[in-house]
Amino acid sequence: MSEVPGSEVVIATPDRRLRVFVSSSLQELSDERRAVSRAISALRLTPVMFEQGARPHPPTEVYRAYLAQSDVFIGLYWQRYRQPPHAGAGVSGLEEEFDLSARLPRLLYIKEPAPAREPRLARLLDRIREEASVSYRTFPGSAELGRLVRDDLAALLSERFATTGPSARPASDRSRRLRSLPASTTSLVGRDRAIGEVSGLLARPGVRLVTLTGPGGVGKTRLAVAVGERLHLPFGGNTVFVPLAAVTDPGLVLPAIGRAVGADQAGSPLEAVAERLGDERWLLILDNLEQVVSVGPDLGQLLARCPGLVILATSRTALRLRAEREYPVPPLAVSATAGPSAASVAELMASPAVALFVDRAQAVRPEFALTPANAAAVVEICRRLEGLPLAIELAAARTRLLDPGALLARLAASLDVLSTTAADLPERQQTLRATVDWSVSLLGDAERSLLEVASVFDDGWTIEAAAQVAGLHETTALELSEALAQHSIISVDSGPGARSRMLETIRAFAAEKLAARPDAAQIHRRHADYYRALAEQADPALRGPGHSQWLERLEADAGNLAAAVRWYLGHDRGPLPHLLRVLWPFWLLRDHMNEARAWTDQLLPTTGSLDTPGRAELLATAAVIALNLGDDSIALTARQHLAAMQDQIDDPLLHAIAQLAIAWAAPITGDSDSPVGAASVALDELRSQNEPLWTALAAGSLAWQEASDGRTDDALRHLQEVRDLGDQLDSAWLAAWSREWMGTVAIIQGQLDQARMLLDDALALSVEAHSTTSVALCLIAFARLAVAEGDPEQATLLVAAAEGLRQRVGLRAWPMLRQGEADLTGQIRLALGPDRFSKMTQAGSALNRQEAIAAVSHQHGIDVVSPT
């Protein structure tokens, strides 16, 4: 802290929010600047930051003007000196700011260590040390700096406080009564972009009212306060915070505003507030308006009468005024650049949700740190809580006694796991249940009923689905859904095929309410029946034209389809054999086989009680699922039963599917003849039935066997049929599959350029198809090409990557492919030698899908964009 020369220098009373100028490099000390800004605001002082200045003015004019109006100078220094502000300037702005602050009390802080400190900054710091009138402190990081600044400012105020004298500028009685912004006691994490966007919106000409909307606990109040802190100077200090959570009568809102701005409370509240605000620039932050939104017209009149007034409101629902601009506050982003198993701790900390969890955990357990051992649990906690800041803060508070793994295990048990004893949180936010209950209590009976019904949906729903399950007309369901969205209870995706969603925390609360209703069982049945009917509707389209569009539609409702299957398992198993057979192509093409296996495993013991069609459908589905997952025992048992009942199956499609299942399982026994015969029979039957998808699967299976036998011309003829059918169906999966095998045949024939072209197309199509099976087959084909081109290292990397991708989703190579892949692996092991082969295999196995695709793309110059 500096000793300011001259006894005439005093600090004015804080009635007018004393201004503290902060000088530093902007980029390298951005975290520290935020910490200092929070420390200053916590003492009800005003931080003066260069970045808040008006950009049309030259930088030197901005910081000189700011310094001239400031009362205290804080200097932060680390390694950078900054460039001179203009050509011909002898010193940088950093040094000029220090020189211009000579009349002010100074608090100087130097960050250590500084291994790369620039020479000119070192000379400036030497000069500072030599001046007897100036002393300074060193600090290691932003947290320690914030504490130092708070302590030093408090001491400075107590030593130099003055209420009289030439420098004191007394304020009016009314200005003394202004309600200042609440002090931030914790850091605001992950909202820099939102602060900038809302501040920019409020700074636009003509923007008078911005409402921050979002569910309870998303951080609307914290964001509003941060925006108020940033805009305090542009509004001349007339930034006022009005808490309204306890106000339930709309008629009491204007009196509350009047008290906050220091208005004369006599007479009409509107007249009193309007007279107090006048034509001056004011920023009113009205917090928690959702229970008094009918005050909107009064606020509209206030805006009309006070031309300098700008309102920033927080509410779960918009106010519906013409002047209003709504800013939905989203939850914090959870996903990092990679999954927790592959990403570094630094990459995971870049996730705002993870960073918030760590920050709040350290508040109760200072030694807490994100480590490779706990990272996966922390990321999953944040994902389960869907990035909701309040939920994350409540969860992090539990780390005082529970490590992240134990906390994750308890999260599913109850909303009340997330609670806190923090006395400074509003009562309605001290448990997550209370927060959700507060939101739901504001709904009407019909809205609340639809919300409870909607809790049966998994990962979203359409208006049509909500209407069917709730037993409502679609128009009514639409109106009620719009009301729920306006209350920020649900969100609605925009665009065609719009879907509604709710946070899992709200869904869990609503599900508890639904369970207590007498019609709960009926609602669950209607949900299951609706999605069973949806699957039946999709069946012919999945097998023919409309294939791709229905894959996308079913993918959007994968969670609801799974919930429907689970309901039938527990209540009515009769429809399941057919439902599972209908959905099998979708599960195959979109990597949902693992969950489906659990369902077929539960049904197989009941096979003897089914009629012939049901038994055949269940056995065929169980066989193909087992083949994908490498459960040879189940596959062979199902094959044996299917073979024994072939003559009893009357349905032509089901008969052909059973023949295909028999063909696919045959290689497990080493039988090389029956696959060809069974696939040929199935292909002939399917061609006569106009079944494009199943015909393509049969033709592709036959082509694989022909290629293995050296009959490449026959194989190419059948693969051409697969390609034509895939193009006809607009199926990226079939198109990729045909080109993968045509490329493999081209390698066998020595046509490497042709193979590369086909495999390039196949890789792009595999990415488009979102199929691990397809990507893995493509990597294997590229590995064959690498062997043919004399690159066994690349081949090993790709074979291992393919197997790693399969293992991570529980898949295994189909029996008809296993011997060929084993031969390829043996060939490259022999070429590389055991040690090198082992190292490359280990490296390849660790690649995620994006990295594996990048390895191929880089090697072959392919332009492929892969989803993470």
Side-chain angles (χ1 to χ4, degrees):
M1 187 189 308
S2 68
E3 297 296 331
V4 181
S7 59
E8 73 283 358
V9 178
V10 294
I11 296 177
T13 60
D15 301 349
R16 62 173 188 85
R17 300 275 289 185
L18 299 178
R19 297 182 172 96
V20 182
F21 184 90
V22 182
S23 172
S24 77
S25 295
L26 298 182
Q27 300 303 321
E28 69 167 358
L29 290 170
S30 58
D31 289 343
E32 286 76 5
R33 290 178 69 82
R34 285 192 289 271
V36 170
S37 177
R38 289 193 295 268
I40 295 169
S41 299
L43 294 173
R44 305 297 195 271
L45 309 180
T46 299
V48 181
M49 317 289 282
F50 173 81
E51 57 265 36
Q52 297 169 345
R55 287 296 174 263
H57 299 289
T60 50
E61 292 184 14
V62 173
Y63 66 68
R64 287 171 182 171
Y66 276 4
L67 267 167
Q69 300 173 36
S70 296
D71 303 285
V72 179
F73 176 87
I74 289 180
L76 312 177
Y77 309 102
W78 188 20
Q79 300 190 127
R80 293 196 59 194
Y81 176 72
R82 287 195 346 210
Q83 295 298 316
H86 55 81
V91 297
S92 73
L94 192 72
E95 186 162 355
E96 184 180 8
E97 288 167 358
F98 174 77
D99 291 338
L100 291 173
S101 69
R103 68 177 182 83
L104 302 176
R106 289 167 170 162
L107 302 175
L108 306 181
Y109 304 90
I110 301 174
K111 185 173 181 177
E112 299 290 355
R117 181 168 289 155
E118 295 175 358
R120 295 197 69 180
L121 178 58
R123 288 196 291 273
L124 171 61
L125 296 180
D126 287 342
R127 178 161 71 88
I128 289 173
R129 294 185 186 101
E130 291 170 0
E131 291 188 14
S133 62
V134 180
S135 61
Y136 59 88
R137 291 179 183 266
T138 61
F139 69 95
S142 56
E144 175 67 10
L145 175 64
R147 185 188 64 77
L148 290 174
V149 169
R150 281 194 299 272
D151 292 347
D152 291 348
L153 275 174
L156 183 63
L157 290 172
S158 65
E159 292 171 4
R160 298 182 176 277
F161 205 92
T163 56
T164 59
S167 296
R169 288 174 281 185
S172 69
D173 289 341
R174 286 179 177 176
S175 66
R176 287 195 189 101
R177 294 200 300 251
L178 290 183
R179 184 186 293 276
S180 59
L181 295 173
S184 299
T185 58
T186 56
S187 57
L188 184 60
V189 177
R191 293 300 193 194
D192 289 346
R193 178 178 177 180
I195 293 170
E197 289 176 347
V198 177
S199 299
L201 191 58
L202 289 167
R204 289 183 192 174
V207 175
R208 307 284 307 285
L209 169 63
V210 173
T211 303
L212 307 182
T213 60
V218 82
K220 302 182 293 294
T221 300
R222 296 289 307 280
L223 175 58
V225 170
V227 171
E229 290 172 348
R230 176 169 292 191
L231 296 179
H232 186 72
L233 278 177
F235 280 88
N238 289 337
T239 300
V240 178
F241 181 84
V242 187
L244 297 169
V247 178
T248 57
D249 181 354
L252 298 178
V253 173
L254 284 177
I257 295 174
R259 288 191 296 274
V261 300
D264 188 340
Q265 294 294 305
S268 160
L270 179 62
E271 292 292 336
V273 174
E275 179 183 352
R276 173 71 181 99
L277 301 182
D279 295 337
E280 294 183 42
R281 288 272 285 164
W282 287 85
L283 174 62
L284 294 187
I285 300 176
L286 307 183
D287 189 44
N288 290 111
L289 274 173
E290 55 266 8
Q291 74 281 5
V292 286
V293 290
S294 59
V295 77
D298 290 342
L299 298 180
Q301 290 187 53
L302 198 59
L303 288 167
R305 296 186 56 174
C306 304
L309 172 63
V310 174
I311 295 176
L312 175 60
T314 75
S315 175
R316 289 176 176 82
T317 180
L319 304 180
R320 293 189 166 188
L321 297 179
R322 284 186 299 171
E324 183 179 33
R325 300 288 190 93
E326 183 179 359
Y327 185 94
V329 181
L332 295 177
V334 177
S335 59
T337 55
S341 61
S344 68
V345 168
E347 288 172 329
L348 293 174
M349 282 296 291
S351 160
V354 173
L356 176 63
F357 183 96
V358 173
D359 182 83
R360 298 305 189 260
Q362 289 173 342
V364 298
R365 192 170 150 190
E367 74 278 8
F368 182 87
L370 191 71
T371 67
N374 65 25
V378 170
V379 171
E380 184 57 25
I381 288 169
C382 294
R383 185 173 290 117
R384 291 265 186 103
L385 300 176
E386 299 171 289
L388 193 66
L390 174 64
I392 292 172
E393 293 193 20
L394 295 175
R398 287 290 191 163
T399 59
R400 186 192 307 272
L401 298 175
L402 298 173
D403 63 40
L407 176 58
L408 177 60
R410 295 187 182 208
L411 265 183
S414 169
L415 288 171
D416 289 330
V417 169
L418 301 183
S419 62
T420 181
T421 56
D424 57 346
L425 271 181
E427 183 178 353
R428 61 189 168 82
Q429 289 191 348
Q430 290 191 12
T431 72
L432 194 57
R433 180 183 299 280
T435 302
V436 177
D437 196 14
W438 165 268
S439 301
V440 174
S441 69
L442 302 175
L443 302 176
D445 291 342
E447 295 159 356
R448 190 179 301 113
S449 177
L450 180 59
L451 177 68
E452 291 166 0
V453 170
S455 68
V456 303
F457 293 99
D458 190 314
D459 195 23
W461 64 92
T462 62
I463 293 298
E464 176 192 351
Q468 290 286 328
V469 176
L472 299 172
H473 191 279
E474 279 194 33
T475 301
T476 304
L478 176 61
E479 292 171 352
L480 293 174
S481 295
E482 288 177 343
L484 290 173
Q486 288 162 9
H487 280 273
S488 300
I489 297 292
I490 68 172
S491 61
V492 181
D493 298 342
S494 58
R499 296 173 63 80
S500 301
R501 304 178 191 278
M502 72 174 86
L503 292 173
E504 189 62 30
T505 48
I506 295 175
R507 180 175 177 241
F509 180 88
E512 290 181 5
K513 300 298 183 183
L514 176 63
R517 285 171 47 162
D519 62 344
Q522 183 182 3
I523 287 168
H524 279 281
R525 173 151 206 134
R526 286 204 297 256
H527 175 272
D529 288 346
Y530 177 84
Y531 285 101
R532 175 188 165 197
L534 183 70
E536 295 280 5
Q537 184 184 354
D539 183 25
L542 280 178
R543 307 191 323 256
H547 172 83
S548 295
Q549 296 91 325
W550 271 98
L551 278 177
E552 294 300 326
R553 182 166 179 183
L554 294 181
E555 182 64 38
D557 272 312
N560 286 310
L561 290 166
V565 172
R566 289 193 295 269
W567 186 90
Y568 282 114
L569 276 169
H571 299 86
D572 180 9
R573 295 189 171 192
L576 279 176
H578 182 64
L579 180 58
L580 298 182
R581 197 275 298 160
V582 164
L583 289 173
W584 176 80
F586 163 62
W587 292 330
L588 169 71
L589 303 182
R590 287 303 177 92
D591 291 347
H592 294 293
M593 298 298 254
N594 259 321
E595 191 171 19
R597 175 188 178 174
W599 302 328
T600 56
D601 285 352
Q602 292 182 62
L603 284 177
L604 281 174
T606 68
T607 302
S609 64
L610 300 175
D611 59 18
T612 298
R615 189 161 65 252
E617 286 187 304
L618 177 58
L619 289 169
T621 304
V624 293
I625 289 175
L627 289 169
N628 273 273
L629 301 179
D631 193 332
D632 292 352
S633 176
I634 287 181
L636 286 174
T637 301
R639 176 180 184 265
Q640 180 182 357
H641 288 301
L642 283 171
M645 61 184 299
Q646 277 290 287
D647 295 339
Q648 304 169 34
I649 302 175
D650 296 327
D651 181 86
L653 176 59
L654 186 53
H655 188 276
I657 291 174
Q659 286 282 358
L660 265 184
I662 291 170
W664 289 336
I668 298 174
T669 65
D671 185 349
S672 59
D673 294 326
S674 61
V676 177
S680 295
V681 171
L683 180 58
D684 291 340
E685 292 180 3
L686 290 163
R687 280 174 175 160
S688 66
Q689 298 176 46
N690 189 26
E691 289 287 345
L693 175 66
W694 288 103
T695 300
L697 293 173
S701 302
L702 192 56
W704 166 83
Q705 187 63 55
E706 290 164 342
S708 300
D709 294 341
R711 293 182 287 137
T712 55
D713 290 341
D714 291 338
L716 285 174
R717 178 169 51 84
H718 284 117
L719 288 171
Q720 182 64 56
E721 182 177 7
V722 176
R723 182 166 71 175
D724 292 345
L725 288 168
D727 294 344
Q728 173 188 328
L729 297 181
D730 191 26
S731 168
W733 191 90
L734 283 176
W737 192 44
S738 64
R739 285 159 177 80
E740 287 157 3
W741 282 110
M742 292 176 79
T744 300
V745 171
I747 295 169
I748 295 171
Q749 295 175 332
Q751 300 174 4
L752 302 189
D753 290 340
Q754 174 72 4
R756 188 176 301 107
M757 182 181 67
L758 287 163
L759 295 180
D760 289 355
D761 289 346
L763 183 61
L765 289 163
S766 295
V767 172
E768 181 184 338
H770 307 286
S771 168
T772 299
T773 298
S774 188
V775 171
L777 287 174
C778 206
L779 294 176
I780 295 294
F782 269 112
R784 294 186 188 280
L785 180 59
V787 169
E789 293 177 333
D791 190 350
E793 287 195 351
Q794 175 76 352
T796 306
L797 189 77
L798 297 180
V799 167
E803 187 58 26
L805 293 181
R806 286 171 176 158
Q807 288 179 359
R808 283 193 280 280
V809 294
L811 298 175
R812 190 181 172 195
W814 274 48
M816 65 175 61
L817 306 179
R818 292 177 195 166
Q819 187 57 52
E821 292 187 14
D823 292 343
L824 175 63
T825 300
Q827 184 180 355
I828 56 182
R829 181 190 289 112
L830 185 62
L832 277 186
D835 291 343
R836 188 62 184 156
F837 176 82
S838 177
K839 291 178 181 178
M840 294 304 296
T841 297
Q842 185 176 4
S845 298
L847 297 180
N848 60 32
R849 182 186 296 191
Q850 186 175 13
E851 292 164 342
I853 291 170
V856 174
S857 305
H858 176 73
Q859 183 79 4
H860 296 275
I862 309 168
D863 184 15
V864 175
V865 178
S866 171
T868 54

